[in-house]
C-alpha cells in the first residue's frame, strides 16, 4: 500500500554559532508604532512589511564552531519603494546592530519594536518608485527558532513559517520573494551549502569562503545555510541540471536512494511541467535533538533531518513547484503546497501499478472513521497555528484524489501544469486555484470545494464518492440504485 508519509514538526535546540565579526551596541526600543507596518497576513499580521518590494538579498556570514552561540552578519537588501517612505521596517530577531546605511549613507535613526522589528529612518526620505539599498551589520547570539545545532558543532537554518529572521534582516513574508546571494566564511575543513547554484570557493589562511546564488525569486522561509563537515556528491538530471547532495558526517549515504532523485524529479516534471530551478539535490543532516526523520522544502535543495527516503524526497521536491516556484499569497493558502505534495507521493506509487482508489483512498476513509477530528479542519484558511496542520496532508490529499475523479485526468493534470505556467516564480492563492480548476474542467466546482476545502464535516456522498470512487460507497451495497443513476443524480459532473 502506498505510504502516507508526513513530515513531523520539529522541536529544535537553539543553535550555537556564527558569522562576520564586529563590535556592536544595542539599539534603543521605540515606543511609537512605525508606519508602514506588517504585510497584512491574516495569521501573522506583524510578519513582513509594507511600503517596499525586495528584489535581492546579499547575505554575508562568518561561522566558527569554536565560538558557540555567536552570530555575526553583514546583509545588503536591494528594494523598491512602493510608497513614499520616511522610515521602513525590516524583520530581524535579536542581535546588536552596529551600523545601518541606506544608499551608502548612515541611517538617521535605527530602533527596535516588538520582537522582530528593526525600524530604519533614512537620512533622506525615499520617494515612491525609487530603488534603494540598505546594509545592516549585526552580531550576537541567535534567538530565532530557525538556527539549529548539528551533531558535530555545525549549524543549519530551517523553519516554517519563520526562519530567515534568525540570521538576516528580511521582509519576512512569502508574498515578497527575491533573489538571494550567500557568502559564508568558515574554518577550512568545513563546508557551506546553500540554495541555488554554487559560485567560486576561495581559501585565505585558515578559512574558506563559499558562495551560493539563487537566481530565481525565493520566499524568505525557504532560504537556508548548512555548515558541517559535509561529504558532497554530484550528478545531473536528464536535462543536465546539476544535482548537489551534501551529507553530514554521521548521515548514511545510500547510493541507490541518491540515484533515485533524478528519476523522481523527472517523474514530477512529467506531471507538473519543467523543473523550475538551476540546481537540485539534498542536504542530509544529523542533529543533537534525538528526533526521527523530518524534512523541509528549502528551495532547490530540500533539507532532510536524520533520514532520506523516497516518500519524503517526492514530497519535498513537489514543493519545488508547489510552494517554492509558485508560492503562497499568505499563510491561509498552505493547501496549495502541502495538499499537492502529499498527493504527489500517491502518484509516485501509482506509477508502479497501485490502484489509488482501492489502496490510498479506501485506507484514508478507514482512517477517517477512526479519527473523530479528521474532517474538522478547513483546508483553506484553517486558522493561525494550523496552517501546516496534518489535515492538509491527509484530508487534503484525499480531496485532490476526489477532485481528480470529478474532473478527469486531462483537466486535473492540465490545471496543475497551467498553474505552474501562469504563476511561475510568483505567488497565487487558493481561491485562484479553485477558479482555474473550474475554468479548465468546464465544471461548476463550487459545491465540491465548499464541501472539501471550506467544510468541517464529512463531504456529501456525491463529493466523497465521485466517478470511480463510487464503488467504495457503502450505500452501493444497500440498494442505493444503479451506479449510473446515482452518478446522474449526484451533480458531481455538472457543467457550468
Amino acid at each position: 500500500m502506498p505510504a502516507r508519509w508526513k513530515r513531523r514538526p520539529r522541536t529544535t535546540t537553539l543553535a550555537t554559532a556564527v558569522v562576520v565579526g564586529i563590535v556592536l551596541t544595542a539599539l534603543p526600543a521605540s515606543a511609537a508604532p512605525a508606519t508602514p507596518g506588517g504585510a497584512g497576513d491574516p495569521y501573522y499580521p506583524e510578519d513582513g512589511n509594507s511600503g517596499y518590494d525586495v528584489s535581492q538579498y546579499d547575505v554575508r556570514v562568518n561561522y566558527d564552531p569554536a565560538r558557540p552561540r555567536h552570530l555575526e552578519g553583514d546583509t545588503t537588501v536591494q528594494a523598491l519603494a512602493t510608497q513614499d517612505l520616511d522610515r521602513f521596517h525590516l524583520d530581524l530577531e535579536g542581535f546588536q546592530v552596529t551600523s545601518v546605511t541606506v544608499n551608502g549613507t548612515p541611517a538617521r535613526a535605527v530602533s527596535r519594536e516588538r520582537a522582530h522589528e528593526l525600524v530604519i529612518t533614512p537620512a533622506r526620505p525615499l520617494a515612491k518608485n525609487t530603488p534603494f539599498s540598505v546594509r545592516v551589520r549585526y552580531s550576537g547570539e541567535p534567538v530565532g527558532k530557525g538556527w539549529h545545532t548539528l551533531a558535530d558543532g555545525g549549524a543549519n537554518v530551517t523553519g516554517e513559517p519563520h526562519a530567515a529572521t534568525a540570521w538576516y534582516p528580511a521582509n519576512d513574508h512569502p508574498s515578497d520573494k527575491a533573489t538571494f546571494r550567500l557568502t559564508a566564511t568558515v574554518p577550512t575543513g568545513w563546508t557551506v551549502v546553500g540554495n541555488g547554484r554554487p559560485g567560486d570557493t576561495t581559501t585565505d589562511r585558515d578559512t574558506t569562503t563559499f558562495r551560493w546564488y539563487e537566481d530565481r525569486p525565493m520566499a524568505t522561509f525557504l532560504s537556508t545555510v548548512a555548515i558541517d563537515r559535509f561529504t558532497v556528491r554530484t550528478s545531473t538530471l536528464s536535462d543536465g541540471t546539476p544535482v548537489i547532495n551534501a551529507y553530514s558526517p554521521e548521515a548514511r549515504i545510500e547510493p541507490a536512494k541518491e540515484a533515485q532523485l533524478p528519476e523522481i524529479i523527472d517523474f514530477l516534471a512529467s506531471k507538473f511541467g519543467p523543473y523550475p530551478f538551476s540546481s537540485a539535490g539534498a542536504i542530509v543532516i544529523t542533529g543533537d535533538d534525538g528526533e526521527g526523520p523530518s524534512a523541509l522544502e528549502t528551495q532547490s535543495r530540500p533539507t532532510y533531518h536524520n533520514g532520506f527516503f523516497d516518500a519524503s524526497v517526492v514530497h519535498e521536491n513537489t514543493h519545488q513547484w508547489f510552494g517554492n516556484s509558485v508560492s503562497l499569497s499568505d499563510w491561509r493558502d498552505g493547501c496549495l503546497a502541502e495538499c499537492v505534495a502529499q498527493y504527489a507521493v500517491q502518484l509516485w506509487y501509482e506509477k508502479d501499478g497501485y490502484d489509488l482508489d482501492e489502496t490510498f483512498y479506501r485506507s484514508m476513509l478507514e482512517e477517517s472513521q477512526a479519527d473523530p477530528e479528521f474532517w474538522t479542519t478547513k483546508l483553506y484558511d484553517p486558522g493561525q497555528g494550523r496552517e501546516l496542520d496534518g489535515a492538509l496532508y491527509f484530508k487534503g490529499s484525499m480531496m485532490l484524489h476526489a477532485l481528480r475523479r470529478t474532473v478527469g485526468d486531462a483537466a486535473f493534470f492540465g490545471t496543475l501544469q497551467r498553474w505552474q505556467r501562469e504563476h511561475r516564480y510568483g505567488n497565487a492563492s487558493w481561491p485562484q486555484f479553485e477558479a482555474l480548476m473550474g475554468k479548465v474542467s468546464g465544471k461548476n466546482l463550487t459545491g465540491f470545494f465548499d464541501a472539501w476545502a471550506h467544510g468541517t464535516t464529512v463531504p456529501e456522498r456525491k463529493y466523497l464518492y465521485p466517478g470511480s470512487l463510487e464503488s467504495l460507497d457503502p450505500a452501493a451495497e444497500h440498494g442505493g440504485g444503479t451506479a449510473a443513476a446515482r452518478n446522474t443524480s449526484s451533480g458531481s459532473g455538472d457543467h457550468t
Side-chain angles (χ1 to χ4, degrees):
M1 180 177 293
R4 296 191 302 277
W5 176 81
K6 175 182 180 290
R7 295 177 302 170
R8 297 194 302 112
R10 296 182 59 184
T11 303
T12 51
T13 56
L14 188 65
T16 39
V18 217
V19 195
V20 188
I22 325 172
V23 178
L24 305 179
T25 56
L27 295 172
S30 171
T35 302
D41 192 279
Y43 293 172
Y44 302 100
E46 295 182 2
D47 281 10
N49 306 280
S50 57
Y52 63 91
D53 182 22
V54 178
S55 59
Q56 183 181 85
Y57 294 98
D58 187 346
V59 179
R60 299 170 182 269
V61 299
N62 184 304
Y63 177 85
D64 184 354
R67 299 185 67 193
R69 299 196 179 279
H70 186 75
L71 171 66
E72 298 174 349
D74 183 352
T75 292
T76 298
V77 181
Q78 303 286 347
L80 178 74
T82 57
Q83 66 184 68
D84 293 339
L85 293 173
D86 292 328
R87 56 178 174 165
F88 59 91
H89 292 199
L90 287 169
D91 299 308
L92 180 68
E93 296 184 78
F95 299 111
Q96 294 178 316
V97 176
T98 48
S99 70
V100 176
T101 61
V102 181
N103 294 331
T105 302
R108 182 162 62 88
V110 182
S111 60
R112 301 309 273 277
E113 290 180 356
R114 298 184 293 276
H116 58 77
E117 298 289 343
L118 184 66
V119 186
I120 299 168
T121 303
R124 291 176 293 278
L126 302 170
K128 182 179 179 179
N129 296 326
T130 300
F132 67 96
S133 66
V134 54
R135 182 179 182 183
V136 182
R137 298 181 184 184
Y138 49 98
S139 179
E141 178 179 340
V143 297
K145 295 180 181 179
W147 270 100
H148 313 292
T149 55
L150 303 184
D152 58 355
N156 90 298
V157 178
T158 55
E160 189 175 10
H162 307 108
T165 56
W167 65 300
Y168 66 92
N171 192 15
D172 193 29
H173 190 267
S175 62
D176 192 3
K177 300 170 68 171
T179 59
F180 195 87
R181 293 172 174 262
L182 170 65
T183 303
T185 300
V186 294
T188 298
W190 296 77
T191 300
V192 178
V193 181
N195 306 94
R197 59 182 176 84
D200 294 337
T201 300
T202 56
T203 299
D204 181 15
R205 295 185 180 179
D206 297 328
T207 63
T208 302
T209 299
F210 295 83
R211 297 170 180 86
W212 290 86
Y213 305 98
E214 179 47 87
D215 297 327
R216 297 299 186 182
M218 177 169 64
T220 49
F221 80 93
L222 298 171
S223 62
T224 190
V225 60
I227 303 164
D228 209 344
R229 299 181 185 275
F230 286 116
T231 296
V232 178
R233 293 163 62 91
T234 62
S235 60
T236 61
L237 302 182
S238 60
D239 63 1
T241 299
V243 177
I244 302 167
N245 298 310
Y247 297 87
S248 285
E250 296 182 8
R252 183 177 178 181
I253 299 174
E254 299 181 75
K257 292 183 178 179
E258 181 181 81
Q260 198 175 41
L261 175 58
E263 179 188 354
I264 287 172
I265 292 179
D266 284 347
F267 169 77
L268 296 175
S270 74
K271 299 296 184 183
F272 309 139
Y275 180 72
F277 299 117
S278 62
S279 72
I283 302 170
V284 186
I285 60 173
T286 52
D288 60 2
D289 50 19
E291 289 191 353
S294 62
L296 195 73
E297 64 272 18
T298 43
Q299 186 158 306
S300 75
R301 189 160 295 101
T303 300
Y304 304 90
H305 187 268
N306 291 336
F308 184 80
F309 53 100
D310 64 342
S312 65
V313 174
V314 173
H315 183 110
E316 303 308 333
N317 279 282
T318 297
H319 281 311
Q320 304 310 310
W321 285 265
F322 291 88
N324 296 14
S325 177
V326 183
S327 299
L328 317 179
S329 290
D330 60 51
W331 286 106
R332 293 175 297 179
D333 297 319
C335 191
L336 288 171
E338 302 302 343
C339 297
V340 182
Q342 190 71 3
Y343 187 56
V345 176
Q346 312 312 320
L347 298 177
W348 174 251
Y349 289 109
E350 183 182 43
K351 75 176 179 53
D352 293 329
Y354 285 97
D355 180 341
L356 296 189
D357 290 2
E358 289 295 329
T359 55
F360 162 68
Y361 201 82
R362 183 187 290 276
S363 69
M364 293 306 296
L365 288 171
E366 293 171 355
E367 187 166 317
S368 73
Q369 293 171 358
D371 180 3
E373 301 296 317
F374 188 94
W375 300 102
T376 60
T377 301
K378 293 191 294 183
L379 297 178
Y380 172 65
D381 195 8
Q384 182 184 7
R386 305 195 72 177
E387 62 273 2
L388 303 175
D389 193 271
L392 274 63
Y393 296 82
F394 301 142
K395 178 184 172 184
S397 54
M398 282 186 76
M399 175 193 67
L400 290 178
H401 191 62
L403 178 61
R404 179 182 170 192
R405 293 298 185 242
T406 297
V407 302
D409 279 12
F412 180 79
F413 291 108
T415 300
L416 298 185
Q417 294 188 17
R418 182 168 169 177
W419 181 258
Q420 292 298 314
R421 292 194 304 271
E422 292 187 356
H423 300 290
R424 193 172 175 89
Y425 307 127
N427 299 81
S429 70
W430 179 261
Q432 288 176 285
F433 180 80
E434 290 186 7
L436 184 62
M437 186 65 73
K439 181 178 180 179
V440 173
S441 68
K443 296 179 183 292
N444 183 349
L445 300 173
T446 301
F448 178 92
F449 284 121
D450 282 350
W452 275 100
H454 306 279
T456 58
T457 58
V458 181
E460 293 179 60
R461 247 190 208 100
K462 62 183 177 181
Y463 303 126
L464 191 62
Y465 301 109
S468 62
L469 294 173
E470 189 179 25
S471 64
L472 305 180
D473 185 356
E477 302 174 3
H478 298 92
T482 65
R486 284 192 299 276
N487 267 345
T488 301
S489 62
S490 72
S492 64
D494 288 350
H495 286 260
T496 56

